[in-house]
Amino acid sequence: ADCHGCKGCSLCCHGMGSSIILDPLDVYRLQAGIGKDLQTLLAEGKVELNVVDGVILPNLKMVGAEEKCAFLSEEGRCSIHANRPGICRLFPLGRYYENGDFKYFLQTGECKEGNRSKVKVSKWIDTPDLARNHEFICRWHYFLNDLEAILGDLEDMELGKRLNMLMLQMFYLTVYDVNSDFYEQFGSRMEQFKALTE
């Protein structure tokens, strides 16, 4: 997976449409790293909201004629590299979810760098506390799956809209305390959401 610092290539930062979806940890990282919450990033046109399988989720925005990531510099480098989203950290790896867990796999045709070398996944994704991160990724993925199923079965469109807005407000728009542990904040918000929707 190692593409040796990309050597000036930024092809994977172009033409991605709305596919670079942010999770709550991504929002926390951006807030901690660049000092901007999601509301600010939406207002600045760096992030946008889209409906994904019935759920409203934020994604990095592609801009200009080249359809490049709004965070890509004129030199073709990521301006938020230390705080980049999980999907960007993974590339060209992907995740395959099954039985409440996931496995990593290499997307062989996605990166144009032909001379990639081996690298440990833990080093590649550059994320501390991998066990807690793994647990968070599973919880979030399967929570969204459950939410998609609930929204898909609802006949009351207004209730679906309220559920979507509650999820968006609770996990994305409510500012995180960047001086406190993300995973504890996420767990607390998950419990609050369940309590409010039971």
Side-chain angles (χ1 to χ4, degrees), residues 25-41:
L25 178 56
D26 296 330
V27 171
Y28 174 89
R29 277 180 171 145
L30 286 168
Q31 188 184 323
I34 65 173
K36 295 180 179 181
D37 61 22
L38 186 67
Q39 199 80 336
T40 303
L41 295 172

Side-chain angles (χ1 to χ4, degrees), residues 23-29 31 37-39 136 139-140 143 163 165-198:
D23 65 28
L25 178 56
D26 296 330
V27 171
Y28 174 89
R29 277 180 171 145
Q31 188 184 323
D37 61 22
L38 186 67
Q39 199 80 336
F136 158 72
R139 282 187 79 186
W140 184 246
F143 166 76
L163 263 177
M165 294 312 294
L166 177 64
M167 183 280 301
L168 197 60
Q169 184 65 48
M170 191 160 284
F171 292 105
Y172 288 104
L173 295 172
T174 300
V175 176
Y176 286 92
D177 178 356
V178 296
N179 297 310
S180 296
D181 181 72
F182 164 76
Y183 299 112
E184 289 179 12
Q185 293 179 74
F186 171 75
S188 174
R189 292 180 189 208
M190 188 67 83
E191 295 309 312
Q192 290 174 38
F193 186 86
K194 286 180 181 176
L196 289 169
T197 56
E198 284 179 347

Side-chain angles (χ1 to χ4, degrees), residues 23 46 53 63 124 142 145 182 187:
D23 65 28
K46 304 278 189 182
D53 297 323
V63 297
W124 185 248
Y142 290 103
N145 276 3
F182 164 76

